[in-house]
Amino acid sequence: MKNFLSYFSLLFIILIQITLADSLLLNKKINYFFNRNPELKSSQIGVLVKSGGKTIYAKKENLSLIPASNLKIITSACAFFYLGENFRYQTKLLSSPIDTVFKTIKGNLVLK
C-alpha cells in the first residue's frame, strides 16, 4: 500500500508540474512511469488529463473503475495533507485488573 501511494504521489507531482506546452514531455513521463513499474502492468488504471477542454494525455480513460478505490486515493491525500505523513493513530488496550498469580484478565477488554 505504501508503494502504491508513493507511485500515485509521483504521478500527481508530474501532473502538477506540467504546462500545456509540455504535453509531449508529459506523455513521455507518464508512459515511462507506467513502463518502469512492472507491478502496474496488471493493474486497472485509467488516466485522463485535460486542459482547456483539450485532451493532453489519455490511457484507458473510458475504463470503468470501482469508485471506492478512487475514493481511497483522495482520502489518503487529504489525510496526508491535514494530519501529516508522520501521523500515527494510537490505540490503547485497557482491561480490568489482571490476576497476577494466573496472569489472566478478570473482566472486560476495551480498545480506546
Side-chain angles (χ1 to χ4, degrees), residues 6-110:
S6 66
Y7 293 143
F8 275 94
S9 298
L10 177 62
L11 183 59
F12 286 131
I13 289 168
I14 290 170
L15 296 178
I16 290 169
Q17 294 178 345
I18 62 140
T19 64
L20 185 58
D22 295 327
S23 62
L24 183 59
L25 180 60
L26 169 70
N27 282 302
K28 287 181 181 178
K29 283 184 177 183
I30 294 176
N31 287 331
Y32 174 76
F33 173 78
F34 284 121
N35 292 333
R36 77 180 182 120
N37 294 296
E39 59 272 12
L40 294 178
K41 295 209 185 279
S42 62
S43 301
Q44 295 287 335
I45 299 173
V47 179
L48 178 62
V49 180
K50 286 188 164 192
S51 180
K54 181 181 175 189
T55 299
I56 298 174
Y57 182 86
K59 179 176 180 146
K60 298 182 184 177
E61 68 275 13
N62 294 319
L63 183 65
S64 295
L65 298 170
I66 300 170
S69 296
N70 294 328
L71 189 57
K72 290 175 197 168
I73 296 168
I74 295 168
T75 302
S76 297
C78 290
F80 279 127
F81 179 78
Y82 287 106
L83 301 174
E85 65 181 71
N86 294 321
F87 179 82
R88 298 291 180 261
Y89 285 101
Q90 293 183 359
T91 304
K92 295 180 182 178
L93 177 62
L94 307 173
S95 70
S96 299
I98 298 175
D99 183 332
T100 56
V101 176
F102 296 106
K103 307 280 188 208
T104 58
I105 298 172
K106 301 228 182 225
N108 299 319
L109 285 175
V110 178

